Amino acid sequence: MKILCVLYDDPSTGMPESYALNSLPKIDKYPDGMTLPSPKNIDFNPGELLGCVSGELGLRKFLEEQGHTLVVTSDKDTEGCQADKELVDSDIVISQPFWPYYLTRKRIESAPNLKMAITAGIGSDHVDLQAAMDNKVDVVEVTYCNSRSVAEHIVMMILSLVRDYHNQHAIAKSGGWNIADAVKRSYDVEGMHIGTVAAGRIGLDALRKMKPFDTHLHYFDRHRLPDSVEKELNLTYHEDLDSMLKICDVVTINCPLHPETEHLFNDERISKMKKGAYIVNTARGKICDKDAVARAIQSGQLSGYAGDVWFPQPAPNDHVWRDMPNNGMTPHTSGTSLSAQARYAAGVREILECFFDGTNIRDQYLIVKDGNLAGMGAHSYSKGSSTEGSEEATKYKK
Ligand code: NAD
């Protein structure tokens, strides 16, 4: 079989010769008891860069020993790009949300042999899920592999926005010492109302991690959490998103991108938020209308915006979030720490082993199966597609 793997570029200085840490902490299980990816074997050292082209997710030896062909490229957006050329006779495509190969309907229909699209990470909105259903292409992801990595990033971003860390660091770095400049937008998180849009694996973990800061916690989700969890965290559940937005000082967005959530945060919704609130969005860029966010930052309706997700990706060099005031944006990194890479590389290997052995892929990993939303897809997505506009990724220039 032919496996096409679209990964981000290697470091500009070449692959690292050594790493900051010699090993990763050992984690046995996720908080709900789900086991970590458990392939029969791995051919990489956990803690190494695996998500870039030379890292190859550690798959080459395994695939080639079984007689399969592995093609790895980062060239994914332009007309005539290598990914498009290789896709036409590929059986499986692997792509990462950080550097998504947008599997639009046109691309899916250009690949008659395509059987499965694997997301090396979580969030499969870069695949036109409706076209995948229509063409019987299964879509799977490595559920939970980086959910907690993202929750850590959320905590970092909430604290850095509210305390105005970026401004203070810039002052220190540039040799300055004007304390008043450094603190004139700086607050404590303690006592604030923090709300998450969706309390799935990431949203719930972010709430848990914010609890020790003595904050008031809120959530909105299409599925209600068990009573015991609401009690443990003293959570306020909101059936209506706007009722949560009007009281929260910080809103963190943690739902997948699908037709129900696309541009959920537009001018109208942001106008219903508490004046001066902060948004942290590590879910997907397109859940927010980028220009509406920029306008709200300019007017002061929002005090700050941070996140690591953009639309499309890579974001055009002149994307308005790159230099709007009071932003704490990073490129899409939260779910691809070296720790997370080890988990999703192992998860992809587990999925491929199951596929080649003809055994069941874990139900939790399924988004689309046999022409329908399945597993986590049925729980967390809606039918349709959110890939429209992804061709703008060609605007990015290295
Ligand atoms: P999850 O499936 O455990 O949780 C998703 C939650 O969203 C579910 O509780 C679901 O009920 C809720 N939801 C879905 N649609 C909704 C709607 N219309 N209204 C309200 N709630 C809705 O997934 P997760 O692990 O928590 O990940 C969530 C998302 O975060 C992913 O789909 C992905 O887009 C994003 N993510 C980003 C990164 C990153 O690196 N930045 C990494 C992993 C995941």
Side-chain angles (χ1 to χ4, degrees):
M1 287 208 186
K2 177 170 170 184
I3 294 100
L4 168 62
C5 193
V6 182
L7 300 177
Y8 48 77
D9 286 317
D10 286 359
S12 48
T13 49
M15 287 296 272
E17 279 166 20
S18 64
Y19 288 88
L21 302 182
N22 291 332
S23 62
L24 298 178
K26 188 160 166 33
I27 297 164
D28 294 320
K29 285 199 160 79
Y30 297 117
D32 67 356
M34 180 175 161
T35 53
L36 267 73
S38 39
K40 291 180 204 151
N41 207 349
I42 52 169
D43 299 310
F44 58 83
N45 293 321
E48 289 181 350
L49 254 178
L50 299 165
C52 61
V53 170
S54 294
E56 301 185 322
L57 297 176
L59 292 173
R60 187 166 295 280
K61 183 167 177 277
F62 159 68
L63 290 172
E64 291 185 348
E65 273 177 5
Q66 299 202 25
H68 302 298
T69 303
L70 174 67
V71 176
V72 183
T73 182
S74 64
D75 180 23
K76 70 178 183 79
D77 293 313
T78 49
E79 196 73 36
C81 60
Q82 197 190 346
D84 283 357
K85 284 188 197 139
E86 302 286 354
L87 177 67
V88 292
D89 59 350
S90 289
D91 297 279
I92 296 173
V93 177
I94 304 168
S95 169
Q96 299 175 111
F98 324 103
W99 186 255
Y101 181 37
Y102 291 101
L103 275 184
T104 56
R105 180 174 288 276
K106 187 171 161 214
R107 286 192 171 121
I108 289 177
E109 290 177 352
S110 78
N113 298 346
L114 192 61
K115 296 162 189 60
M116 181 164 66
I118 304 177
T119 302
I122 304 172
S124 298
D125 50 276
H126 59 282
V127 181
D128 180 330
L129 295 180
Q130 191 58 52
M133 288 184 256
D134 297 344
N135 289 278
K136 299 277 188 308
V137 173
D138 291 348
V139 181
V140 298
E141 57 185 45
V142 190
T143 299
Y144 233 145
C145 66
N146 57 14
S147 302
R148 305 196 83 200
S149 322
V150 178
E152 286 188 11
H153 211 81
I154 292 169
V155 174
M156 173 181 86
M157 287 185 152
I158 292 176
L159 292 174
S160 58
L161 272 188
V162 173
R163 303 198 60 85
D164 209 22
Y165 164 76
H166 300 91
N167 168 39
Q168 296 170 7
H169 182 59
I171 290 171
K173 220 177 157 180
S174 64
W177 197 268
N178 188 315
I179 303 292
D181 279 344
V183 299
K184 64 183 195 273
R185 295 182 62 86
S186 182
Y187 300 93
D188 293 352
V189 166
E190 183 181 359
M192 285 190 165
H193 289 259
I194 315 274
T196 178
V197 180
R201 290 169 180 80
I202 297 175
L204 177 57
D205 199 40
L207 290 171
R208 267 216 174 90
K209 285 175 161 57
M210 288 308 296
K211 175 82 176 153
F213 289 94
D214 290 329
T215 52
H216 305 280
L217 301 175
H218 303 256
Y219 80 101
F220 164 77
D221 198 302
R222 45 150 93 150
H223 301 286
R224 190 141 183 194
L225 290 165
D227 227 27
S228 55
V229 177
E230 289 193 0
K231 286 208 177 81
E232 172 207 335
L233 299 174
N234 197 16
L235 290 182
T236 306
Y237 170 68
H238 297 262
E239 262 175 48
D240 167 45
L241 175 56
D242 295 339
S243 96
M244 181 176 90
L245 296 183
K246 69 175 187 236
I247 48 173
C248 282
D249 303 283
V250 179
V251 173
T252 159
I253 304 175
N254 296 299
C255 52
L257 169 64
H258 53 93
E260 273 174 34
T261 62
E262 190 170 326
H263 282 183
L264 189 61
F265 283 77
N266 53 18
D267 284 306
E268 194 196 344
R269 176 136 294 112
I270 294 172
S271 75
K272 292 179 181 163
M273 295 179 70
K274 183 172 173 182
K275 161 95 178 53
Y278 302 83
I279 292 181
V280 171
N281 175 14
T282 51
R284 283 297 177 260
K286 213 187 196 186
I287 296 170
C288 294
D289 172 339
K290 67 177 176 12
D291 298 312
V293 167
R295 282 190 284 273
I297 289 282
Q298 283 298 347
S299 73
Q301 172 61 11
L302 288 178
S303 291
Y305 182 92
D308 67 330
V309 285
W310 312 66
F311 186 82
Q313 290 185 181
N317 309 68
D318 63 352
H319 191 294
V320 62
W321 291 353
R322 285 189 189 265
D323 63 1
M324 72 184 171
N326 304 315
N327 90 76
M329 295 300 295
T330 61
H332 194 165
T333 51
S334 66
T336 185
S337 58
L338 296 174
S339 325
Q341 289 176 41
R343 289 189 292 271
Y344 66 68
V348 171
R349 170 87 176 242
E350 178 189 322
I351 289 166
L352 289 169
E353 285 177 0
C354 291
F355 182 80
F356 295 136
D357 292 352
T359 55
N360 285 340
I361 294 170
R362 298 187 203 206
D363 207 42
Q364 290 113 321
Y365 288 176
L366 304 180
I367 302 297
V368 170
K369 171 95 183 130
D370 300 331
N372 265 309
L373 291 173
M376 286 317 298
H379 183 87
S380 293
Y381 284 79
S382 56
K383 292 190 172 178
S385 165
S386 292
T387 56
E388 200 183 321
S390 53
E391 62 284 352
E392 285 226 346
T394 52
K395 288 192 184 161
Y396 171 75
K397 299 282 170 284
K398 278 184 204 171

